[in-house]
Amino acid sequence: MVSCGALHSFLFEYDTPRIVLIRSRKVGLINRAVQLAILAYVIGWVFVWEKGYQETDSVVSSVTTKVKGVTLTNTSTLGARIWDVADYVIPPQEENAVFVMTNVILTLNQRQGHCPELPDDKTECKVKNDCVPGYVSTHSSGIQTGECVPYNSSSSIKTCEVFAWCPVEDDNHIPKPAFLQEAENFTILVKNNIWYPKFNFSKRNILPDINSTYLKNCIYDSETDPFCPIFRLGKIVQAAGQDFQEMAVEGGVMALQINWDCNLDRAASHCVPKYSFRRLDNKDSAHTVSPGYNFRFAKYYKDSNGTESRTLVKAYGIRFDIIVFGKAGKFDVIPTMINIGSGLALFGVATVLCDIVVLYFMKKKYYYREKKYKYVEDYDLVSISEGRVKAKLLPPPNLERFRKRM
Amino acid sequence: MVSCGALHSFLFEYDTPRIVLIRSRKVGLINRAVQLAILAYVIGWVFVWEKGYQETDSVVSSVTTKVKGVTLTNTSTLGARIWDVADYVIPPQEENAVFVMTNVILTLNQRQGHCPELPDDKTECKVKNDCVPGYVSTHSSGIQTGECVPYNSSSSIKTCEVFAWCPVEDDNHIPKPAFLQEAENFTILVKNNIWYPKFNFSKRNILPDINSTYLKNCIYDSETDPFCPIFRLGKIVQAAGQDFQEMAVEGGVMALQINWDCNLDRAASHCVPKYSFRRLDNKDSAHTVSPGYNFRFAKYYKDSNGTESRTLVKAYGIRFDIIVFGKAGKFDVIPTMINIGSGLALFGVATVLCDIVVLYFMKKKYYYREKKYKYVEDYDLVSISEGRVKAKLLPPPNLERFRKRM
Amino acid sequence: MVSCGALHSFLFEYDTPRIVLIRSRKVGLINRAVQLAILAYVIGWVFVWEKGYQETDSVVSSVTTKVKGVTLTNTSTLGARIWDVADYVIPPQEENAVFVMTNVILTLNQRQGHCPELPDDKTECKVKNDCVPGYVSTHSSGIQTGECVPYNSSSSIKTCEVFAWCPVEDDNHIPKPAFLQEAENFTILVKNNIWYPKFNFSKRNILPDINSTYLKNCIYDSETDPFCPIFRLGKIVQAAGQDFQEMAVEGGVMALQINWDCNLDRAASHCVPKYSFRRLDNKDSAHTVSPGYNFRFAKYYKDSNGTESRTLVKAYGIRFDIIVFGKAGKFDVIPTMINIGSGLALFGVATVLCDIVVLYFMKKKYYYREKKYKYVEDYDLVSISEGRVKAKLLPPPNLERFRKRM
């Protein structure tokens, strides 16, 4: 079906659209102005500003942390007591976060047994019948036995007896100011390794030109030491616009954000981390439940009889989430060609726009239309000879088109 | 090189393609139909359905959890015992997950020493020579001493003696039903803070219009309480089509998925979380190893002599992974222009298609071809005068083209 | 405003650009060559190589791990001691990581009290006045009391006395070789469940055709067992080009990377994980702080008097981060149309290029220009009749254009 002649014409003929060149200052300038605007958009915005010639990839990250600091407390219950890293960082290591305890409610020497429940509107009772044996709710300390007993010797309140770790925890009175208020001066070292898989580019937040002498003593500061990986806890909280001592009472969650937006078409040394800080939990207690941040854990002991006892710790503190995010960009042909192609297609808009001006709004519009359009009227075939087709014209088209078309 | 004249013509001339207008109902309708289809695709699908005018960003998330609930167990080994949050959530806090122990094998009072290994086909022996001193495999409880000793007084099985924490753990018989079957009624509070860095938009899953009275007592339900952040464990498992009591025996891994797909061109109040649940571990034990989910940990004690002992806990339970994902979209010029540009380019397809119909399939195709194409024959240059070039025509082209071309 | 006639012409007329066909072997071949290059780029590179017809999605992952192995140590301080999973995996479970302790500095029987600080250039003193009461720095073990006391009985060094957990930890001498050097033979089982939300496709790294008999005993090998999910620790470190025993002394961080790049247009069985290994921490101690990887935790005990004591453990070890990443691609109309549209627009480049060759560089350029361009000269309107506009021509354009335009 594809003959020699067709192949000959396909390969050795070149077709190009026929153009009518209209000499008009106004339209010429409009045309060039629109084309210039499109060019400025494509080159200026798409390529230079938004880097439309680049392929992007998301960061893959790994973080290790280390907290340092000791503090002394002195209370009637515990006496003078030192708290170091092993005491207040719980659990001792996590992957992308670190919890520093700032406030605590300790319930010492809990043993399994029967004791009165903590008083509230559900647990207070007057007589035994107020308490249902076996009753337990999600807020209970234990299973109710059915007895109604005095809560403590110094008051007349009676609550339902429960089988639980006794004595039950009383968390109604949180220490104010925070128990470990000195935590403000503790420091956290953050080591972060990032990788962009698509470009096989990796880097650490401790930059290659930083030496270990500097690292031993520096503290991060957004102005003077922007690449020191050691952060003072109070400064982190302050940089997020919060007050450390206020946050330390009920705890909270802080984000230490490390942003790695890198342009990999430049030298690798330009790819550096940007630190920022943000509070994640909701301060507004009217629209939240369980404000601040706390959790319970226990230390278990065995006495010489083999009876197990425990110290229940309700730990309030600040959890620092190390959030690493960012995108790398590197030149790639595909997004470049897509944007060039779309840009070329947009140039067609200039032609459409100027055509509308020329053919509908100018005084000489009918003249231009005659030059641009060639009407193929309907015809009856008469003969084909000598490479030309002869046809008998049908009546000419209605000239109303010319005047009414708008 | 760029003369004044060239600049003049560049700025003040406007070129537009010359068009031949074919009056034919059939082709006209085909043309408009194809153009309409392309327009419907671009506007309907690309822009309205797939939001092709938007830039997208992935979510950055932080999660805190809190479990509540107590349960009572009563066995011959342990007696009556209460289990509360500090007992069954291990470790007490994690970043995007929480483990709730539902079943347990306890090996109490382990001390370092010599004792018989657990019997299996590798450790059973008849005589001393069956045991190799110093032998240890990855499944061993300890290092073999070389002795072959009775496993226990009530049977005749003998196994190789090992230096290990003694007595060795016997995990062949998992309690059925699960030891902490009441875990089904425990509740978990999930607080989630999300952020879209590109648009600097952040939100929490506890919506601003929810007050704390409602939050104290609500339980999540996909129909009645879709925004309550407190989930009953049994309901999570049931929503994933699983049976809690069956899963509680050997443990498992559940995903609590929070989907934040937000259209940031609308009000922020429309950006709400969607919760879904999925089982992650493989139930089918024929094609997996170590089915369910369990891990071992120990509680260490010291007796009055200073000798260390421990309780080995093989904890089976359900780990709830809080998986937060989603994309935000917001209007941006670049993807809009890319899609407009590609759409404009696609309009060219309508012209190509109709050209094929007109020039090859219609009765009047030769007539139309004559109107559309202008053949520039080869020529010999004769003269250039009066702004027109005169050329002597070469022999006309082979007319076979007209009849054979298809 | 839109009249019947305009609607009639809009629907039933078809406009197509008029084309001039230039018969020239050279230009024809150039044109087809450029078009072929563009077609090869669009089809070959964009569609086949880069899969430009696919929509992509990032992986959502969940990981569980389990370590197995026991080892025996024998030192003068501790005697013969067995270490099993509950002893060296701290914390017992994490979400995407697992820490295996390989070296340790134990400080036994610490009690709160007064004792000399560890000697260094800041804590050594000669007389009492060298020590400031209440002084504490981030590197201190405790709060200085102001006394200057001998460090130990066997030397003449005196350091400031501190209130701290006594005796203070001496971490100047790390055991070499590593204490738990046998950790090289431990194994880690990694179970990974991935999900692509956009395509609702999920899969596990334990492939469906692997049976549990194989899984009980296999060890991962990149050549012979590439899908076995059980990894020997020494092999992981070796595959990253590191030496396990060297890394075990001060610890480190290893990445176990699981890559899920899937083409979801193919069968699901082709979507398999690819494992790779990488060291994340910086070996070069000249440009880092706190080399290796270590953290401190404590085991707490109570003696019969109720006095709390603890064993401080400075755990050095290797943290294995399980990093799961990957993209899935599936056919989607939008990226296909975008790339087709951009490709079509790029075809316009062929025309522009050949136009330049034809109109400016060929011998017959003036002839071709005359055929392609139709100059619309300025005119004065004379009359409009019989569907044609008569105009009086203004003087012809300056013919200099023809010769000078380049």
Side-chain angles (χ1 to χ4, degrees):
Chain A
M1 217 156 87
V2 176
S3 69
C4 233
L7 188 67
H8 188 273
S9 59
F10 178 76
L11 285 180
F12 299 130
E13 280 174 7
Y14 166 62
D15 52 72
T16 174
R18 298 179 71 185
I19 305 291
V20 53
L21 270 173
I22 295 173
R23 252 194 229 101
S24 158
R25 286 182 192 245
K26 192 161 41 170
V27 185
L29 281 173
I30 293 176
N31 183 35
R32 297 303 174 197
V34 175
Q35 286 183 342
L36 188 70
I38 293 173
L39 198 70
Y41 157 75
V42 172
I43 292 182
W45 193 334
V46 174
F47 281 96
V48 175
W49 185 256
E50 296 275 350
K51 297 194 171 42
Y53 55 90
Q54 286 188 335
E55 180 71 54
T56 58
D57 193 19
S58 302
V59 70
V60 169
S61 147
S62 173
V63 170
T64 65
T65 58
K66 197 184 241 281
V67 181
K68 274 201 185 301
V70 293
T71 183
L72 179 71
T73 61
N74 203 339
T75 57
S76 45
T77 340
L78 293 176
R81 190 186 158 92
I82 205 90
W83 298 77
D84 67 6
V85 171
D87 295 322
Y88 59 71
V89 174
I90 302 127
Q93 67 108 356
E94 280 179 274
E95 210 205 333
N96 290 311
V98 59
F99 173 80
V100 174
M101 184 165 73
T102 55
N103 209 356
V104 65
I105 292 176
L106 293 166
T107 315
L108 305 168
N109 289 324
Q110 282 192 328
R111 282 182 173 78
Q112 297 241 350
H114 297 90
C115 49
E117 174 66 287
L118 194 68
D120 67 35
D121 48 353
K122 291 228 178 86
T123 59
E124 282 185 35
C125 60
K126 296 250 175 332
V127 291
K128 185 171 159 177
N129 285 354
D130 293 339
C131 301
V132 180
Y135 171 78
V136 61
S137 83
T138 46
H139 298 279
S140 304
S141 304
I143 316 282
Q144 286 190 2
T145 57
E147 299 291 327
C148 181
V149 293
Y151 176 59
N152 56 28
S153 48
S154 58
S155 82
S156 58
I157 300 172
K158 293 175 85 170
T159 59
C160 292
E161 188 189 51
V162 285
F163 178 60
W165 285 98
C166 292
V168 300
E169 177 190 77
D170 178 4
D171 59 348
N172 285 327
H173 308 285
I174 303 174
K176 246 191 181 125
F179 193 62
L180 297 176
Q181 39 183 309
E182 276 300 299
E184 194 167 0
N185 294 320
F186 295 167
T187 58
I188 174 171
L189 160 69
V190 176
K191 297 206 276 187
N192 174 219
N193 177 304
I194 59 107
W195 183 47
Y196 289 107
K198 209 181 277 189
F199 311 123
N200 201 21
F201 174 85
S202 69
K203 198 158 182 186
R204 295 184 183 91
N205 70 325
I206 299 182
L207 303 176
D209 53 350
I210 297 180
N211 64 50
S212 41
T213 328
Y214 169 73
L215 287 171
K216 278 200 178 2
N217 292 308
C218 71
I219 297 283
Y220 171 84
D221 183 277
S222 56
E223 316 269 319
T224 59
D225 299 274
F227 300 117
C228 175
I230 301 174
F231 303 81
R232 192 173 148 273
L233 298 194
K235 232 172 164 182
I236 292 178
V237 174
Q238 188 184 28
Q242 306 291 322
D243 177 50
F244 189 94
Q245 292 305 327
E246 182 196 332
M247 202 173 168
V249 173
E250 283 198 316
V253 185
M254 289 295 304
L256 195 158
Q257 293 161 169
I258 312 182
N259 185 16
W260 290 90
D261 277 331
C262 291
N263 181 358
L264 297 181
D265 291 324
R266 305 181 70 188
S269 57
H270 285 114
C271 182
V272 291
K274 278 194 234 6
Y275 300 100
S276 55
F277 312 97
R278 196 162 66 93
R279 179 165 184 173
L280 295 181
D281 63 304
N282 191 354
K283 260 203 304 189
D284 175 16
S285 44
H287 292 280
T288 190
V289 63
S290 185
Y293 184 66
N294 68 75
F295 61 93
R296 291 180 177 83
F297 70 98
K299 298 186 210 171
Y300 295 87
Y301 308 98
K302 252 189 197 169
D303 64 18
S304 35
N305 300 332
T307 318
E308 200 176 21
S309 71
R310 75 177 195 184
T311 296
L312 180 67
V313 182
K314 185 174 183 184
Y316 297 81
I318 304 178
R319 190 179 83 185
F320 294 89
D321 288 355
I322 321 291
I323 299 180
V324 180
F325 63 100
K327 293 218 180 296
K330 200 167 183 181
F331 170 77
D332 189 67
V333 177
I334 308 261
T336 308
M337 286 298 164
I338 286 180
N339 281 304
I340 287 180
S342 308
L344 284 179
L346 287 175
F347 264 95
V349 167
T351 303
V352 168
L353 208 72
C354 292
D355 270 358
I356 291 174
V357 169
V358 162
L359 300 172
Y360 291 96
F361 290 105
M362 295 192 69
K363 274 187 274 187
K364 305 178 190 171
K365 54 183 175 276
Y366 300 124
Y367 181 61
Y368 290 141
R369 281 188 210 172
E370 198 186 334
K371 295 299 166 192
K372 182 175 164 78
Y373 291 105
K374 183 186 184 68
Y375 290 96
V376 176
E377 296 88 356
D378 275 339
Y379 71 99
D380 280 335
L381 200 60
V382 170
S383 67
I384 298 176
S385 66
E386 291 167 45
R388 296 201 66 95
V389 173
K390 273 215 182 88
K392 182 184 88 184
L393 280 177
L394 293 170
N398 190 333
L399 298 177
E400 291 308 297
R401 286 191 76 236
F402 267 121
R403 286 178 286 272
K404 283 185 184 169
R405 181 172 188 167
M406 265 224 34
Chain B
M1 215 159 87
V2 177
S3 68
C4 233
L7 188 67
H8 187 273
S9 59
F10 179 75
L11 285 179
F12 299 130
E13 282 175 6
Y14 165 61
D15 53 72
T16 175
R18 298 179 71 187
I19 303 289
V20 52
L21 271 173
I22 295 174
R23 250 190 232 103
S24 159
R25 287 185 191 241
K26 192 160 46 171
V27 185
L29 281 172
I30 293 175
N31 184 36
R32 296 303 173 199
V34 175
Q35 286 182 344
L36 187 70
I38 293 173
L39 198 69
Y41 156 76
V42 171
I43 292 182
W45 193 335
V46 175
F47 280 96
V48 175
W49 185 255
E50 296 273 350
K51 298 194 171 45
Y53 55 90
Q54 285 188 333
E55 181 70 54
T56 58
D57 193 20
S58 301
V59 69
V60 170
S61 148
S62 172
V63 169
T64 66
T65 58
K66 197 184 240 283
V67 182
K68 273 201 185 302
V70 293
T71 183
L72 178 70
T73 61
N74 202 336
T75 57
S76 45
T77 338
L78 294 176
R81 191 186 155 92
I82 207 92
W83 298 79
D84 67 6
V85 171
D87 296 322
Y88 58 71
V89 174
I90 302 127
Q93 67 107 358
E94 280 180 274
E95 209 204 334
N96 290 310
V98 59
F99 173 80
V100 174
M101 185 164 74
T102 56
N103 210 355
V104 65
I105 291 175
L106 293 166
T107 314
L108 305 167
N109 289 323
Q110 281 192 329
R111 281 182 174 76
Q112 298 241 349
H114 297 89
C115 50
E117 174 66 287
L118 193 68
D120 66 36
D121 48 352
K122 292 228 176 86
T123 59
E124 282 184 37
C125 60
K126 298 251 179 325
V127 291
K128 184 169 158 178
N129 286 353
D130 294 340
C131 301
V132 180
Y135 172 78
V136 61
S137 84
T138 46
H139 298 280
S140 304
S141 305
I143 316 282
Q144 285 190 4
T145 57
E147 300 293 326
C148 181
V149 292
Y151 176 60
N152 56 29
S153 48
S154 59
S155 83
S156 57
I157 299 171
K158 294 175 83 171
T159 59
C160 292
E161 189 190 50
V162 285
F163 178 60
W165 285 98
C166 292
V168 300
E169 178 190 77
D170 176 6
D171 60 348
N172 285 326
H173 309 284
I174 304 174
K176 247 194 182 123
F179 193 61
L180 296 175
Q181 40 183 308
E182 277 300 301
E184 195 166 0
N185 294 319
F186 294 167
T187 57
I188 174 172
L189 160 70
V190 176
K191 296 207 275 188
N192 174 219
N193 177 303
I194 59 109
W195 183 45
Y196 289 107
K198 209 180 274 189
F199 312 124
N200 201 21
F201 175 84
S202 69
K203 197 158 183 186
R204 295 184 184 90
N205 71 325
I206 299 182
L207 303 176
D209 54 349
I210 297 181
N211 63 49
S212 41
T213 327
Y214 169 72
L215 287 171
K216 278 200 179 2
N217 291 307
C218 72
I219 296 284
Y220 171 84
D221 182 278
S222 56
E223 317 269 318
T224 59
D225 298 276
F227 299 117
C228 175
I230 302 175
F231 302 82
R232 192 174 149 272
L233 298 195
K235 232 174 164 179
I236 293 177
V237 175
Q238 188 184 23
Q242 306 291 322
D243 177 50
F244 189 93
Q245 291 305 329
E246 183 196 332
M247 201 172 170
V249 174
E250 284 198 314
V253 186
M254 289 295 303
L256 195 158
Q257 292 162 168
I258 312 181
N259 185 15
W260 289 89
D261 279 331
C262 291
N263 181 356
L264 297 181
D265 291 325
R266 305 181 71 187
S269 57
H270 285 112
C271 183
V272 291
K274 278 194 232 10
Y275 300 100
S276 55
F277 312 97
R278 196 162 64 94
R279 179 165 185 173
L280 296 182
D281 63 304
N282 190 354
K283 257 203 306 189
D284 175 15
S285 43
H287 293 279
T288 189
V289 62
S290 185
Y293 183 67
N294 68 75
F295 61 92
R296 291 179 178 83
F297 70 97
K299 298 188 214 173
Y300 295 87
Y301 308 99
K302 252 190 198 167
D303 64 17
S304 34
N305 301 332
T307 317
E308 198 177 23
S309 71
R310 75 176 195 185
T311 297
L312 181 66
V313 182
K314 184 174 183 183
Y316 298 81
I318 304 178
R319 190 180 82 186
F320 294 89
D321 288 355
I322 321 293
I323 299 180
V324 180
F325 63 100
K327 293 215 179 299
K330 200 167 184 182
F331 169 78
D332 189 68
V333 177
I334 308 264
T336 309
M337 286 299 164
I338 286 180
N339 281 303
I340 287 179
S342 308
L344 283 179
L346 287 174
F347 265 95
V349 168
T351 303
V352 168
L353 208 71
C354 292
D355 269 359
I356 291 174
V357 169
V358 163
L359 300 173
Y360 290 97
F361 288 106
M362 295 192 70
K363 275 187 272 186
K364 305 176 189 171
K365 54 181 174 279
Y366 300 125
Y367 179 65
Y368 290 142
R369 281 189 211 171
E370 198 185 335
K371 295 301 168 192
K372 181 175 165 79
Y373 291 105
K374 182 187 185 71
Y375 290 95
V376 175
E377 296 89 355
D378 276 340
Y379 72 97
D380 280 335
L381 200 60
V382 171
S383 67
I384 299 175
S385 66
E386 293 168 41
R388 297 201 66 95
V389 173
K390 274 215 182 90
K392 182 184 86 187
L393 280 178
L394 294 169
N398 192 331
L399 298 178
E400 294 307 297
R401 285 190 79 234
F402 268 119
R403 285 180 285 273
K404 284 184 186 169
R405 181 172 186 167
M406 264 232 31
Chain C
M1 218 160 90
V2 177
S3 70
C4 232
L7 188 67
H8 188 273
S9 59
F10 179 75
L11 284 180
F12 299 130
E13 280 175 6
Y14 165 61
D15 53 72
T16 175
R18 298 180 71 187
I19 305 289
V20 54
L21 270 174
I22 296 173
R23 251 192 231 101
S24 160
R25 286 182 192 242
K26 191 160 44 172
V27 185
L29 281 173
I30 292 175
N31 182 35
R32 297 302 174 200
V34 176
Q35 285 181 343
L36 187 71
I38 292 172
L39 198 70
Y41 157 75
V42 172
I43 292 182
W45 193 335
V46 176
F47 281 96
V48 175
W49 185 254
E50 295 274 350
K51 297 194 170 44
Y53 55 90
Q54 286 189 334
E55 180 70 54
T56 58
D57 193 19
S58 302
V59 70
V60 169
S61 148
S62 171
V63 170
T64 66
T65 59
K66 198 184 239 284
V67 181
K68 274 202 186 301
V70 293
T71 184
L72 178 70
T73 61
N74 203 338
T75 58
S76 45
T77 340
L78 293 175
R81 190 186 158 91
I82 206 92
W83 299 78
D84 68 5
V85 171
D87 295 322
Y88 59 70
V89 174
I90 303 126
Q93 67 107 358
E94 279 179 274
E95 211 206 333
N96 290 311
V98 60
F99 174 80
V100 174
M101 185 164 73
T102 56
N103 210 355
V104 64
I105 292 175
L106 293 165
T107 314
L108 305 167
N109 289 324
Q110 281 192 330
R111 281 183 173 78
Q112 298 240 351
H114 296 90
C115 49
E117 173 66 287
L118 193 68
D120 65 36
D121 46 356
K122 291 228 176 86
T123 59
E124 284 185 36
C125 59
K126 297 249 178 330
V127 292
K128 184 168 159 177
N129 285 354
D130 293 340
C131 301
V132 179
Y135 171 78
V136 61
S137 83
T138 47
H139 299 278
S140 304
S141 304
I143 316 282
Q144 286 191 3
T145 57
E147 300 291 329
C148 182
V149 292
Y151 176 60
N152 56 29
S153 48
S154 58
S155 82
S156 58
I157 300 171
K158 294 175 84 172
T159 59
C160 291
E161 188 189 52
V162 284
F163 178 61
W165 285 98
C166 292
V168 299
E169 178 190 77
D170 178 5
D171 60 346
N172 284 328
H173 309 284
I174 304 174
K176 246 192 182 124
F179 194 61
L180 297 176
Q181 40 183 307
E182 276 301 300
E184 194 166 1
N185 293 320
F186 295 167
T187 58
I188 174 173
L189 160 70
V190 176
K191 295 207 275 188
N192 174 219
N193 176 304
I194 59 108
W195 183 46
Y196 289 108
K198 209 180 276 189
F199 311 123
N200 202 20
F201 175 85
S202 70
K203 197 157 184 188
R204 295 184 183 90
N205 71 325
I206 300 183
L207 303 177
D209 53 349
I210 297 180
N211 65 49
S212 41
T213 327
Y214 169 72
L215 287 172
K216 277 201 180 359
N217 291 307
C218 72
I219 296 284
Y220 170 85
D221 182 276
S222 55
E223 316 269 319
T224 60
D225 299 274
F227 299 118
C228 174
I230 301 174
F231 303 81
R232 191 174 149 273
L233 299 193
K235 234 173 164 181
I236 293 178
V237 175
Q238 187 184 25
Q242 306 292 322
D243 177 50
F244 189 93
Q245 291 304 327
E246 182 197 332
M247 201 172 170
V249 174
E250 282 198 316
V253 185
M254 289 294 304
L256 196 159
Q257 291 161 171
I258 312 182
N259 185 14
W260 289 90
D261 279 331
C262 291
N263 181 356
L264 297 181
D265 290 325
R266 305 181 71 188
S269 57
H270 285 113
C271 183
V272 291
K274 278 192 231 15
Y275 300 99
S276 55
F277 312 97
R278 199 162 62 94
R279 179 165 184 173
L280 296 181
D281 63 303
N282 190 356
K283 259 203 306 189
D284 174 15
S285 42
H287 293 280
T288 189
V289 61
S290 185
Y293 183 67
N294 68 76
F295 61 92
R296 290 181 177 82
F297 70 98
K299 299 188 211 171
Y300 294 87
Y301 308 99
K302 252 189 198 169
D303 63 18
S304 34
N305 300 333
T307 318
E308 198 175 23
S309 71
R310 75 177 196 184
T311 297
L312 181 66
V313 181
K314 184 173 182 184
Y316 297 80
I318 303 178
R319 190 180 82 186
F320 294 89
D321 288 355
I322 321 293
I323 299 179
V324 180
F325 63 100
K327 292 218 180 295
K330 201 167 184 181
F331 169 79
D332 189 68
V333 177
I334 307 264
T336 308
M337 285 299 163
I338 286 179
N339 280 304
I340 287 180
S342 309
L344 283 179
L346 287 175
F347 265 95
V349 167
T351 303
V352 168
L353 208 72
C354 292
D355 269 359
I356 291 174
V357 170
V358 163
L359 300 173
Y360 290 96
F361 289 106
M362 294 191 71
K363 273 184 273 183
K364 305 177 189 170
K365 54 181 174 279
Y366 300 124
Y367 180 62
Y368 291 140
R369 281 188 212 170
E370 198 186 334
K371 295 299 166 192
K372 182 175 166 78
Y373 290 105
K374 181 185 184 74
Y375 290 97
V376 175
E377 296 89 355
D378 275 338
Y379 71 99
D380 280 333
L381 201 59
V382 171
S383 67
I384 298 178
S385 66
E386 293 169 42
R388 296 202 66 97
V389 171
K390 273 215 182 89
K392 183 184 84 187
L393 280 178
L394 295 170
N398 191 332
L399 297 178
E400 292 307 296
R401 284 189 81 235
F402 268 120
R403 285 180 284 275
K404 284 186 185 167
R405 182 172 187 169
M406 268 234 23

